[in-house]
Amino acid sequence: MAVKEKLSERITNQIRQDISKGKYPPNEKIPAEPELMKLYGVGRSTIREAIKSLSISGILKVQQGSGTMVNERLETESIDQKLKNADFDDIHAVRILLEGEMVKLAAINHTDEQIKEMEKCLEDRKLAILAEQPEQCANADIAFHTAIARASKNKVLAGLYTSFTTIIRDFFSRREAQGISHFAMSHHLHEELFKAIKAKKQKQAQQIILQILDNSY
């Protein structure tokens, strides 16, 4: 039984990949069971299990009398692709939720070593501002927020923030004409955020990160 389940999962993944590659276009029928059996070299029961699994997940839709079709609303984009294609309003709304939770957990869970890391990133940010180096400002800013993400001790949150850094860096690059002014104006808020996290003041940290994100809007 265990072997059958593994085979079914493997065929399910193969069909899913073929759909993602465009072998079976959205809103069109996939081949009938006999042809699928030949294409994937498995029996009827395995094909039926795979189709059932893909139907439950919304990738396929089985229509009585019409056959099995690929759902026209199939989501095939990776999270990174979705982030690249998202507009700024959507990104900003998700960052508010993400970073609000990050700073709260960092205030609870940080270690002394992580506090030192945040402090070093903050000092690098300040030095880059004084030296009027926009790229170094962006690097230090992202490093500071990434250190907070790691201090949250939530690997999923930290991973999500890492995905966001590409978008954040792109946003900074589009504001290069402003030089270091954007970083300089928000530096005092970053220092206050650091102090709140270090002092384990969760609510204060959440309020400050909202100010930081609103000022970057």
Side-chain angles (χ1 to χ4, degrees), residues 7 11 14 20 26 37-38 46 52 62 75 77 92 94 100 110 114 119 127 138 141 145 161-162 189 192 197:
L7 179 60
I11 299 304
Q14 285 183 9
S20 297
M37 290 162 59
K38 290 180 182 179
T46 301
K52 180 180 178 181
V62 180
E75 292 285 349
E77 287 186 324
H92 185 72
V94 174
H110 69 259
Q114 287 166 334
E119 192 169 25
L127 292 174
D141 185 281
H145 288 272
Y161 186 77
T162 299
L189 289 173
E192 288 177 16
I197 291 173

Side-chain angles (χ1 to χ4, degrees), residues 40-55:
Y40 297 100
V42 294
R44 188 181 300 275
S45 62
T46 301
I47 290 296
R48 286 184 173 177
E49 284 191 39
I51 290 174
K52 180 180 178 181
S53 176
L54 292 168
S55 298

Side-chain angles (χ1 to χ4, degrees), residues 97-110 148-149 151-153 157 193 196-197 200-207 209:
L97 295 172
L98 178 64
E99 298 207 44
E101 188 66 16
M102 268 170 39
V103 299
K104 183 187 82 172
L105 292 176
I108 299 170
N109 298 321
H110 69 259
I148 293 173
S152 74
K153 299 292 177 65
L157 278 179
L193 176 61
I197 291 173
K200 296 184 179 290
K201 295 180 179 179
Q202 304 165 42
K203 290 185 179 179
Q204 186 177 348
Q206 287 181 303
Q207 291 170 352
I209 194 64

Side-chain angles (χ1 to χ4, degrees), residues 108-122:
I108 299 170
N109 298 321
H110 69 259
T111 64
D112 291 342
E113 194 64 32
Q114 287 166 334
I115 286 295
K116 289 178 183 177
E117 182 184 3
M118 289 180 219
E119 192 169 25
K120 173 65 166 59
C121 294
L122 203 55

Side-chain angles (χ1 to χ4, degrees), residues 16 39 47 60 81 117 119 138 149 191 193:
R16 183 187 287 112
L39 285 169
I47 290 296
L60 295 177
Q81 288 173 320
E117 182 184 3
E119 192 169 25
E191 290 180 333
L193 176 61

Side-chain angles (χ1 to χ4, degrees), residues 69-168:
M69 305 178 76
V70 178
N71 196 325
E72 62 182 339
R73 296 181 181 178
L74 174 65
E75 292 285 349
T76 59
E77 287 186 324
S78 68
I79 184 65
D80 288 338
Q81 288 173 320
K82 288 179 181 178
L83 287 173
K84 287 177 183 177
N85 295 331
D87 61 35
F88 185 77
D89 287 342
D90 288 343
I91 292 292
H92 185 72
V94 174
R95 280 192 69 191
I96 288 174
L97 295 172
L98 178 64
E99 298 207 44
E101 188 66 16
M102 268 170 39
V103 299
K104 183 187 82 172
L105 292 176
I108 299 170
N109 298 321
H110 69 259
T111 64
D112 291 342
E113 194 64 32
Q114 287 166 334
I115 286 295
K116 289 178 183 177
E117 182 184 3
M118 289 180 219
E119 192 169 25
K120 173 65 166 59
C121 294
L122 203 55
E123 181 63 20
D124 289 344
R125 192 180 191 278
K126 181 179 179 180
L127 292 174
I129 292 170
L130 293 174
E132 298 187 3
Q133 297 174 317
E135 186 176 349
Q136 283 76 5
C137 284
N139 291 339
D141 185 281
I142 290 171
F144 175 68
H145 288 272
T146 301
I148 293 173
R150 285 197 292 266
S152 74
K153 299 292 177 65
N154 185 309
K155 292 181 180 179
V156 175
L157 278 179
L160 286 171
Y161 186 77
T162 299
S163 295
F164 268 85
T165 56
T166 302
I167 307 300
I168 296 167

